[in-house]
Amino acid sequence: MPDTSEFDSPLFRTTLHQLDTVASRLNLDPNLHERLRYPRRALVVSVPIQMDNGKTEIFIGYSVHHNTALGPTKGGLRYHSDVNLGEVTALAMLMSWKCGLFQLPYGGAKGGIRCNPRSMSSREIERMTRRYTSEIILLIGPDLDIPAPDLGTDEQVMAWVMDTYSMTQGKSVPGVVTGKPILIGGSAGRREATGRGIVYTLFRAARHLGHEVKGKRVVVQGFGNVGAVAARLLWREGCTIVGISDVKGGVYSPRGLDLRQLEAHAAESGSVSGFPDADRVTNAELLELPCDILIPAAIGSQIREDNASRIKASIIAEGANGPTTPEADQILRERGVTVVPDILANGGGVVVSYFEWVQGLQFYFWRESEILSRLQEVMTRAFNRIWAVAQKEGTDLRTAALMEGIRRVAEGFRIRGLYP
Ligand code: NAD
């Protein structure tokens, strides 16, 4: 096989390995398989910014479109110190499978800037976002690539991307991003969609396994858009949230954390750590706490060969993208732990992003109740389909989800043929 070394990174190696394994299971035409191993296009840009202290700093940014067989591309924009071409390419590939599995009319993409947004002022992040948007402007648009929030970005960042793009077009183009504020064309329910989707899939998983979600002990890594929403919704459903962390560390209380008080503490102090009436734990310790459900909702490669055997949860719902390494996956499988994989568990975000895009293109907005019931329907259907594939193929949910996603993208390639 030709060289893919410019995209090399741990996550890219993992996603390629997943693709190769599933391709042989699916008996995929080798010509289609080969095309799926590469992104369609990747752009690397330098993003020079004047910092508040007057100095110029350069950040490196990426925009990768993995695949356009099923439609324009879609994926998150990530601001994090680990961002590199290989990681962004792998995340774009995972988006292709995710959109395929949810039967959305999109290919996969991802954007990112290597930076530490926590050490930057809001003005600096705005200048960086606007300059990055102008550098990649040829690759984004409502029918080309539609970014959304991811790790380190939020609806304010999406507003700046939309405004910058709109200025170059001489008109407002809300459809260029999703996950933007409701006032400028965002969708009701988008902010909570990923966390809510995780909860829907957990309910489905529990039902298939013959459990109740209510009363379960839950640990969540990450207290951002995904983790905080999932934790709050599960708390409201009667789960005991025993542990939560963010980048600064975690807190543990076997009696359960009061989510309302924890949110207030985090809003005031900037972190969950230091929350009274709870023990401090490190992020590594958090993953191994006694619990029934574990939700990794921060960064990749957190569940690895060296800690997988000590994970106590019987169900893992992956909020983050790529939180489990293939070696850990194998250990968890052997131990009978049910892993609801990232491309299934965290798909609620892209599903409601799709709803936002459709609403924006039609300038007609739906009620929140309508969005939530459609989200629930899409997530439930996808979960049941993947569960059935897993049963039929005698495989785990990750393999089944990848089979569904990859099969659909490959089929798109086959039907469209190879240009020229
Ligand atoms: P976010 O920036 O809102 O929150 C991230 C959280 O993780 C924060 O609490 C942060 O402190 C914590 N964190 C960061 N680095 C950490 C570390 N090294 N150890 C422990 N905690 C750390 O991001 P988000 O939007 O919630 O995204 C979280 C994960 O979910 C990412 O992997 C992202 O790709 C994935 N995801 C997000 C969406 C979405 O709609 N936002 C959709 C699908 C998947």
Side-chain angles (χ1 to χ4, degrees), residues 78 80 98 110 149-153 190 194 221-227 245-248 283 297-300 302 319-321 346 349:
R78 175 173 288 203
H80 193 268
K98 193 187 297 183
K110 203 83 182 182
D150 189 68
L151 191 63
T153 60
R190 172 60 185 89
T194 307
Q221 184 188 45
F223 200 61
N225 177 276
V226 179
S245 70
D246 58 30
V247 68
K248 293 189 180 157
N283 263 291
I299 56 168
Q302 293 299 289
N321 286 308
N346 71 29

Side-chain angles (χ1 to χ4, degrees), residues 47 49-52 59 79 113 115-132 152-154 156-157 160:
V47 184
I49 298 303
Q50 188 175 57
M51 306 303 278
D52 291 345
F59 298 91
Y79 291 175
I113 304 179
C115 65
N116 180 1
R118 279 179 298 118
S119 69
M120 297 169 73
S121 72
S122 173
R123 287 288 303 151
E124 289 168 342
I125 293 175
E126 177 177 354
R127 285 195 288 273
M128 182 177 76
T129 301
R130 289 187 181 279
R131 179 64 188 247
Y132 167 79
T153 60
D154 56 16
Q156 177 60 74
V157 171
W160 290 326

Side-chain angles (χ1 to χ4, degrees), residues 8 12 15 25 30 50 94 97 101 107 138 149 179 221 315 317 355 420:
D8 192 43
F12 187 69
T15 47
R25 233 179 198 280
Q50 188 175 57
L94 285 174
W97 316 148
L101 129 69
L138 289 174
Q221 184 188 45
I315 301 181
F355 296 162

Side-chain angles (χ1 to χ4, degrees), residues 259-280:
L259 257 286
R260 222 172 334 204
Q261 285 177 17
L262 184 68
E263 279 167 5
H265 171 83
E268 201 181 299
S269 70
S271 171
V272 295
S273 67
F275 182 60
D277 294 333
D279 298 334
R280 276 176 194 269

